[in-house]
Amino acid sequence: MTSTYRDNPDAIRALVQPDRVHRDLYIDPEVFELEQQHFFANTWNYVGHDSQIPKTGDYLRAEIGGQPLIVVRHTDDTVKVLMNRCAHKGSRLVNAPCGNTGRFFRCPYHAWTFRTDGSLLSMPLKEGYEGTGVHACESGKGLVTVKNVRLYRGFIFAKINDVGPDFEEYFGDSLSSIDNMADRSPEGKLEIAGGCLRYLHPCNWKMYVENLNDTMHPMVVHESSAGTARRMWIDKPADAPKPMAIEQFVPFMSDYKFFQDMGVRVFDNGHSFSGVNFSIHSKYSAIPAYDEAMKQAYGPERAAQILSLARHNTVYYPNLTIKGAIQSIRVARPVAADKTIIESWTFRLVGAPPELLHRTTMYNRLINSPFSVVGHDDLNAYRGIQAGLHASGNPWISLHRNYDPNEVGQKDLTCIGTSEISMRNQYRAWARYMTMTM
């Protein structure tokens, strides 16, 4: 079978033009396989939150680019990321999504054991290895560890390959969105609350990620869901208290001017957020007990500054998006060129009254869950795009809206909210990290 893209970085780069991208980014299985091998291994990926592994031996099962990982709390309280592969015969060490392994991992096949930093602890019938040289080879050195791991405000990121920028350079000032989300806690701490809502999207992962800061679709795609909510409330007095569901639904039907004036900011390496000036989260009802707790913790001026930031979606390219104002995150898990699992998680603001978590979980159910109303509007759009891209005659996807040649090479730009700059910015980063190790 002839390969179009393998070992051909020029062909990969040609898929991304300054103002458009080729459909093979979404539909070609070979491109997806190369992403698994190169792109994801070369970028910093979110793998979990430290509140999920509070005790020694607590672990999470994770994955980057198809490579199985273990995120574990080591005996010295540090977080380690290990390859989920026994150094002996290659068996996956842990199969549960999370748990506690104690002070070591035990392979379920031949019972080799490894400390939580990956070092080899013991082998059954070890006399059988005397004089064989096993300790000098890879198997005797224990589990492969991921060296590039960073814990930031509780968020755990990892990068498999030793190429590209370090953590701070990769994310830059986009980290201010994580700071704001954590600072919304009177104690400056977040913790995962409840389980994870997962569902399979029949589309390429990039389609989902680029949609997060696409502000031209909400008033079109969500007309049936959010539009219905708006019609239900349209004859009510302007000062009438809104039910929480109405308060969360209706802003999706804001007009083009609202989303344009919202603003979008993009950063080098594909990151971005919409809601520079305000967002669909800006006018939620006040919770007096929370406002008072924030003032007590930070003082009135700093508390007002924290709460005035109501960004919409911040994309930490490639796999994490956060909604700091509503304390919810979503994680993209690519499965195939046309299949992506989306995970939705909710956070508790430590020290905040329970009404905040109630608002968060309601939003997650209404918007992000498999049972949502708004989320299925997007799902239908993704399904249609994935199918439509197989049509012949035009292999390109336009990203021309508000394109300016001077934006190329800029590391930090703020633009009108309806610009397609966030998508163009993602694909320039994609081409760079995709070809870095080819």
Side-chain angles (χ1 to χ4, degrees):
M1 184 176 178
T2 303
S3 173
T4 304
Y5 298 111
R6 190 169 301 279
D7 301 320
N8 193 347
D10 289 337
I12 291 290
R13 294 186 189 101
L15 297 173
V16 179
Q17 301 297 314
D19 51 14
R20 62 181 188 168
V21 295
H22 196 276
R23 67 179 178 181
D24 280 2
L25 283 168
Y26 304 89
I27 67 175
D28 190 282
E30 183 182 39
V31 170
F32 179 81
E33 290 174 9
L34 291 171
E35 284 179 336
Q36 299 289 88
Q37 180 182 349
H38 295 283
F39 173 77
F40 287 103
N42 294 338
T43 53
W44 286 90
N45 288 251
Y46 171 77
V47 292
H49 193 266
D50 75 340
S51 65
Q52 296 172 278
I53 50 171
K55 298 180 300 211
T56 296
D58 284 349
Y59 70 85
L60 301 171
R61 208 180 72 206
E63 184 177 289
I64 295 178
Q67 300 196 52
L69 304 172
I70 306 169
V71 183
V72 61
R73 180 76 65 178
H74 186 42
T75 52
D76 65 359
D77 203 42
T78 60
V79 174
K80 304 293 183 182
V81 179
L82 316 170
M83 288 291 170
N84 190 4
R85 175 212 188 276
C86 179
H88 177 213
K89 299 284 283 188
S91 171
R92 199 162 65 173
L93 281 175
V94 298
N95 294 297
C98 59
N100 185 284
T101 192
R103 302 179 70 84
F104 60 87
F105 293 102
R106 180 179 183 271
C107 178
Y109 190 28
H110 285 106
W112 282 36
T113 60
F114 305 89
R115 299 177 184 88
T116 50
D117 64 356
S119 59
L120 179 64
L121 179 59
S122 68
M123 302 176 291
L125 300 179
K126 62 181 180 180
E127 61 273 11
Y129 293 99
E130 292 178 5
T132 65
V134 67
H135 292 290
C137 77
E138 291 84 356
S139 295
K141 295 174 183 174
L143 307 180
V144 175
T145 62
V146 178
K147 292 186 290 184
N148 302 297
V149 177
R150 180 66 192 274
L151 183 64
Y152 186 84
R153 302 297 298 266
F155 289 78
I156 307 166
F157 293 86
K159 179 164 64 78
I160 290 176
N161 286 343
D162 294 327
V163 297
D166 62 17
F167 178 85
E168 283 76 12
E169 183 184 353
Y170 183 76
F171 287 113
D173 197 42
S174 72
L175 292 170
S176 60
S177 290
I178 290 180
D179 288 331
N180 179 255
M181 184 171 167
D183 289 344
R184 284 173 173 268
S185 157
E187 299 180 22
K189 290 178 61 179
L190 299 163
E191 58 185 23
I192 292 279
C196 176
L197 299 172
R198 292 181 180 87
Y199 66 117
L200 182 67
H201 286 50
C203 69
N204 188 271
W205 69 273
K206 295 184 289 297
M207 201 176 292
Y208 162 80
V209 174
E210 71 177 66
N211 181 70
L212 293 165
N213 282 327
D214 179 310
T215 57
M216 291 294 287
H217 81 276
M219 69 294 294
V220 180
V221 172
H222 302 307
E223 185 175 7
S224 63
S225 56
T228 299
R230 185 174 68 172
R231 288 190 294 274
M232 290 174 61
W233 201 254
I234 201 165
D235 60 345
K236 301 294 189 296
D239 58 350
K242 294 183 179 69
M244 192 177 292
I246 294 292
E247 197 172 62
Q248 293 179 345
F249 268 138
V250 171
F252 282 87
M253 284 303 295
S254 301
D255 58 18
Y256 288 124
K257 185 179 187 305
F258 176 91
F259 285 107
Q260 181 163 300
D261 293 346
M262 225 167 66
V264 63
R265 186 176 173 191
V266 300
F267 304 87
D268 199 16
N269 302 316
H271 322 303
S272 63
F273 68 79
S274 53
V276 175
N277 303 310
F278 52 83
S279 79
I280 64 172
H281 307 298
S282 293
K283 293 186 177 180
Y284 290 156
S285 299
I287 299 174
Y290 173 57
D291 293 343
E292 182 59 31
M294 289 293 286
K295 289 175 185 177
Q296 290 292 326
Y298 294 102
E301 184 176 344
R302 175 63 180 144
Q305 183 184 44
I306 292 168
L307 298 179
S308 67
L309 280 181
R311 295 169 181 174
H312 180 38
N313 286 313
T314 298
V315 172
Y316 289 105
Y317 201 60
N319 76 329
L320 172 67
T321 176
I322 76 168
K323 283 179 170 286
I326 199 69
Q327 296 88 59
S328 175
I329 70 169
R330 284 174 285 178
V331 185
R333 306 290 189 196
V335 177
D338 59 353
K339 290 183 177 63
T340 306
I341 292 174
I342 302 301
E343 298 180 348
S344 296
W345 300 84
T346 52
F347 283 82
R348 177 185 291 109
L349 296 173
V350 177
E355 290 90 338
L356 270 295
L357 182 59
H358 175 58
R359 187 166 70 184
T360 299
T361 54
M362 173 169 277
Y363 185 92
N364 216 35
R365 289 196 304 272
L366 289 175
I367 312 300
N368 296 334
S369 83
F371 319 105
S372 74
V373 180
V374 170
H376 286 282
D377 294 338
D378 292 316
L379 189 65
N380 186 59
Y382 304 149
R383 183 185 291 115
I385 297 169
Q386 194 72 38
L389 286 175
H390 288 272
S392 61
N394 176 15
W396 293 95
I397 291 92
S398 167
L399 298 176
H400 289 82
R401 196 171 60 250
N402 301 111
Y403 170 65
D404 180 351
N406 293 321
E407 74 189 38
V408 179
Q410 299 295 316
K411 294 183 178 296
D412 188 338
L413 284 173
T414 300
C415 304
I416 62 172
T418 51
S419 172
E420 288 178 320
I421 190 170
S422 61
M423 298 88 165
R424 295 190 292 267
N425 186 54
Q426 287 172 16
Y427 287 118
R428 288 169 194 146
W430 180 90
R432 182 162 65 252
Y433 288 97
M434 182 74 159
T435 57
M436 192 171 281
T437 48
M438 289 183 72

